[in-house]
Amino acid sequence: MSEQITIGAYLLERLAQLKVTSMFGVPGDFNLGFLDLVEDHPAMEWIGNCNELNAAYAADGYARVKPTSIGVITTTFGVGELSAINGIAGAFSEMVPVLHIVGVPSTSQQKNKPMLHHTLGDGRYDAYAKAAEQFAITQATLLDKRTAAQEIDRVITACITSARPVYLFIPTDVVFMKIPTGNLHTPLTSAFPPNDEETEQFVLDEIVRKVEAADGDAIFLVDACAVRHHVKDEVKELVEKTGFPVYAAPMGKSAVWEGYERYGGIYVGSISRPEIKEKVESAKLIISIGGLKSDFNTGNFTYRIPKQRTIELHSDHTLVQYAKYDAIGMKQLIPKLIPRLAGFAAAASKLSVPRFGARFPTEDPLGEETISHAWMWPRMSQFFREKDVIVSETGTSSFGVLDVPLPKDAINVSQILWGSIGWTVGSTLGAALAARDQNLGRTLLFIGDGSIQLTIQEVSTMMRLRLKPIIFLLNNSGYTIERYLHGTHRKYNDIVNWKWTQLLDVLAPADLEPRPKSYTVHTKKEFDELLNTPSFASCETIQLVEIMMDRFDAPQALQRQAELSGKTNAYVAEYL
């Protein structure tokens, strides 16, 4: 007879096989039995968040920094799962593998439909699952123990292969049902089905012909899905062995080491640096890897790279100019493309590449001592170290960090497509835990005073877990990105100015040692001296730096993006 295991324990063993070590979420009466198993599991740590939205953000950040794993959140039926849904939708939008486990009423209650708490009072027990369908690649409700193992495996496999969220709904009485352990001996696969050999060979030949026709004048443009679908190593070998210039889109930042001699910088359409824009748009052939053409990722759709000069490599298809080849994925294609394109290395080496570096302003319009974005981000680039995890909030931070190079093996974490303000606080929690698992460097959060007010509670969870990020809080008196988009002087873009340097003490556990530290810097000199302080840079404890900035100052890239967005999203009274 096969050994037996509870369904809840089976699920946890599958997650442990994927090296999931942290589970985020909030306890509720329909998931408490499952949480007993989580708390008792030797390889799993129950994090316990302040709210479900933050837990979803944390699972997202964890998955981004730990590419061999997935993020996991557990909530309760209805009130818990709906609170998390914005975070899950963001993970879907940005292609992040997150498993949402929901504890739901027992199988008999779902059949008889009594008017339970957390329901809508009308017997529609499936209403929340129907909502979840919009933000998940697949889902399963575990009602039959005979198929539970197969359903768990199916859903998790879909999560890791598609890099999208999935849902598992587990009734209270199913958690402790016993099933055989046999399936656990077969590892879950993260691989796509193999490319069709004949079609793949044709595609390879076509790509080589296009490079030949361009006389070797080709570039690589690397984007978000190169990270999400785990081809960073393949891309590294491809760019190094071919020697073609390589650029990145904003969502692809840190997919390629920005100190690499053939790396030219970030291409964002019309708001790119002039030398980057010229090199990318004048290339005879652009080979895009993992492209994601959203508005903020393309300079409001101002890419100037027509299809007749473009090849696109994606996780599940390839585009060669106007021809689409379904089921020809880049994970298997790129290794075969490398030797085919390596012969162009001599021609590629003659193509000049602009040197991508931080640029201090020659003249600062805000004055010599005032901390400006134009000065701060080049200065921060000197503070960054190899293997740092750099989390930048939607708005001034996510745009500012684009303009400076990151060190080798540093990881950039930002949410450019979904853009939910406050996301980075929860994400920093998950990112810091993943960084600890993988022996990465410091975790650094850049966030504005408006954004952090939405999710500040999760800093208390970081301190409870003895995590030591540095929180760089940009105090510019409100929602700066919104000021640039609309309502520059409107009150709705203002916020209450909290006593920021007192917050860590308020949120910290009484027994936290060493105690958290907070600072306020008003001038470049004060900020520079703090960054040069060894004890500060070594992250001996969690730290918060309040950076006083002008409310109307913003990175140039954000200002240009806001101008473009303002033109396309103009508020027009059509009835006038």
Side-chain angles (χ1 to χ4, degrees):
M1 294 289 293
S2 173
E3 293 184 13
Q4 298 283 301
I5 189 172
T6 65
I7 290 174
Y10 180 95
L11 171 56
L12 291 175
E13 288 306 309
R14 277 306 197 194
L15 297 178
Q17 289 175 356
L18 295 176
K19 302 188 186 314
V20 176
T21 59
S22 298
M23 183 179 294
F24 306 94
V26 177
D29 51 355
F30 293 111
N31 66 24
L32 296 176
F34 176 66
L35 294 190
D36 287 339
L37 298 176
V38 175
E39 188 169 307
D40 294 339
H41 195 281
M44 193 72 61
E45 182 177 15
W46 171 249
I47 300 305
N49 297 90
C50 298
N51 60 58
E52 292 88 355
L53 176 60
N54 287 348
Y57 289 163
D60 182 321
Y62 184 90
R64 289 175 190 247
V65 176
K66 197 171 181 180
T68 58
S69 191
I70 63 174
V72 182
I73 171 177
T74 297
T75 67
T76 196
F77 178 62
V79 292
E81 59 184 299
L82 293 183
S83 292
I85 206 163
N86 176 42
I88 300 300
F92 186 93
S93 173
E94 300 232 344
M95 288 171 289
V96 181
V98 173
L99 167 64
H100 189 172
I101 302 168
V102 183
V104 300
S106 68
T107 53
S108 63
Q109 289 173 321
Q110 293 194 52
K111 180 180 179 181
N112 297 321
K113 297 179 172 48
M115 192 181 293
L116 284 181
H117 61 289
H118 298 342
T119 70
L120 299 172
D122 61 1
R124 289 185 295 144
Y125 277 58
D126 63 345
Y128 315 135
K130 286 182 176 179
E133 287 178 357
Q134 311 306 313
F135 313 108
I137 199 71
T138 191
Q139 59 177 241
T141 301
L142 303 181
L143 298 174
D144 188 342
K145 71 176 187 178
R146 293 170 298 180
T147 59
Q150 291 88 339
E151 284 292 87
I152 290 171
D153 292 356
R154 178 185 66 81
V155 167
I156 295 177
T157 298
C159 181
I160 57 182
T161 55
S162 67
R164 299 272 197 184
V166 295
Y167 275 77
L168 271 175
F169 301 96
I170 307 181
T172 55
D173 58 330
V174 169
V175 173
F176 290 97
M177 288 181 180
K178 293 288 188 74
I179 59 174
T181 61
N183 284 23
L184 291 174
H185 302 299
T186 303
L188 298 177
T189 179
S190 60
F192 279 94
N195 292 343
D196 177 76
E197 290 186 12
E198 185 175 352
T199 307
E200 182 181 66
Q201 185 60 48
F202 179 81
V203 170
L204 289 167
D205 291 342
E206 281 291 283
I207 294 174
V208 172
R209 278 194 285 268
K210 301 304 179 189
V211 176
E212 288 175 340
D215 296 322
D217 183 3
I219 65 162
F220 295 117
L221 179 59
V222 185
D223 208 343
C225 290
V227 179
R228 304 292 190 268
H229 293 286
H230 315 309
V231 295
K232 284 180 67 173
D233 290 341
E234 290 86 349
V235 169
K236 180 177 184 293
E237 185 178 0
L238 176 66
V239 300
E240 289 181 353
K241 289 193 173 178
T242 62
F244 289 118
V246 57
Y247 301 83
M251 290 180 69
K253 187 174 178 68
S254 79
V256 178
W257 173 38
E258 295 184 312
Y260 173 54
E261 61 183 8
R262 304 294 287 165
Y263 177 77
I266 302 290
Y267 176 66
V268 206
S270 65
I271 66 176
S272 309
R273 289 185 182 180
E275 69 276 16
I276 295 173
K277 183 177 184 296
E278 190 277 328
K279 290 294 184 182
V280 171
E281 296 179 359
S282 65
K284 293 181 180 178
L285 185 67
I286 298 95
I287 302 175
S288 169
I289 304 175
L292 191 61
K293 298 177 182 177
S294 71
D295 53 355
F296 279 18
N297 204 37
T298 63
N300 215 52
F301 310 114
T302 58
Y303 269 21
R304 295 292 181 264
I305 45 177
K307 280 191 175 182
Q308 62 263 32
R309 290 194 282 125
T310 304
I311 293 168
E312 296 185 20
L313 310 184
H314 295 277
S315 62
D316 59 357
H317 70 279
T318 300
L319 294 169
V320 181
Q321 295 176 326
Y322 297 97
K324 182 179 181 182
Y325 302 92
D326 289 318
I328 301 297
M330 60 184 172
K331 184 72 173 178
Q332 300 167 47
L333 184 70
I334 292 176
K336 297 174 183 177
L337 187 61
I338 293 169
R340 299 290 301 273
L341 295 185
F344 294 94
S349 66
K350 298 177 182 178
L351 301 172
S352 63
V353 183
R355 189 65 178 169
F356 182 58
R359 298 175 178 177
F360 281 96
T362 55
E363 181 179 337
D364 197 328
L366 293 179
E368 185 175 341
E369 288 303 314
T370 304
I371 300 171
S372 65
H373 283 278
W375 175 86
M376 188 188 80
W377 293 106
R379 178 61 185 90
M380 289 308 312
S381 71
Q382 299 173 343
F383 180 77
F384 294 150
R385 297 176 181 172
E386 291 187 6
K387 296 188 176 182
D388 277 350
V389 177
I390 299 159
V391 188
S392 53
E393 175 65 42
T394 295
T396 55
S397 296
S398 62
F399 278 90
V401 77
L402 293 178
D403 213 30
V404 298
L406 302 185
K408 192 173 186 179
D409 297 322
I411 297 175
N412 181 61
V413 180
S414 62
Q415 197 189 55
I416 291 174
L417 175 53
W418 185 244
S420 183
I421 64 171
W423 168 82
T424 54
V425 181
S427 184
T428 294
L429 168 64
L433 288 166
R436 186 172 68 181
D437 285 353
Q438 300 183 108
N439 296 315
L440 296 176
R442 306 168 301 180
T443 301
L444 311 176
L445 167 61
F446 295 88
I447 186 168
D449 53 343
S451 295
I452 200 171
Q453 287 192 1
L454 278 75
T455 48
I456 185 67
Q457 314 98 306
E458 223 54 50
V459 174
S460 67
T461 310
M462 299 178 199
M463 290 189 280
R464 172 168 54 82
L465 297 170
R466 288 359 187 211
L467 300 172
K468 302 174 182 179
I470 302 178
I471 302 169
F472 293 96
L473 192 150
L474 283 56
N475 188 339
N476 48 23
S477 303
Y479 301 120
T480 298
I481 186 171
E482 275 79 8
R483 294 191 198 282
Y484 274 92
L485 291 169
H486 188 80
T488 306
H489 299 284
R490 289 288 185 176
K491 292 180 181 179
Y492 52 68
N493 283 326
D494 298 337
I495 64 167
V496 174
N497 189 31
W498 291 358
K499 296 179 180 178
W500 298 107
T501 56
Q502 297 180 27
L503 280 178
L504 293 189
D505 284 332
V506 171
L507 298 173
D511 62 346
L512 179 63
E513 292 293 342
R515 297 300 295 173
K517 294 182 179 180
S518 297
Y519 319 83
T520 298
V521 291
H522 297 85
T523 66
K524 294 173 183 174
K525 181 180 179 181
E526 290 176 353
F527 197 13
D528 186 69
E529 288 177 350
L530 179 63
L531 295 177
N532 285 330
T533 303
S535 60
F536 172 79
S538 62
C539 297
E540 297 171 355
T541 186
I542 187 170
Q543 299 171 100
L544 183 146
V545 184
E546 180 185 16
I547 307 168
M548 305 305 296
M549 307 186 79
D550 185 275
R551 69 168 57 193
F552 299 114
D553 184 38
Q556 285 295 312
L558 184 147
Q559 295 182 38
R560 294 194 296 271
Q561 175 66 57
E563 182 181 355
L564 292 170
S565 297
K567 292 178 180 178
T568 56
N569 297 325
Y571 291 91
V572 178
E574 295 182 356
Y575 59 86
L576 294 179

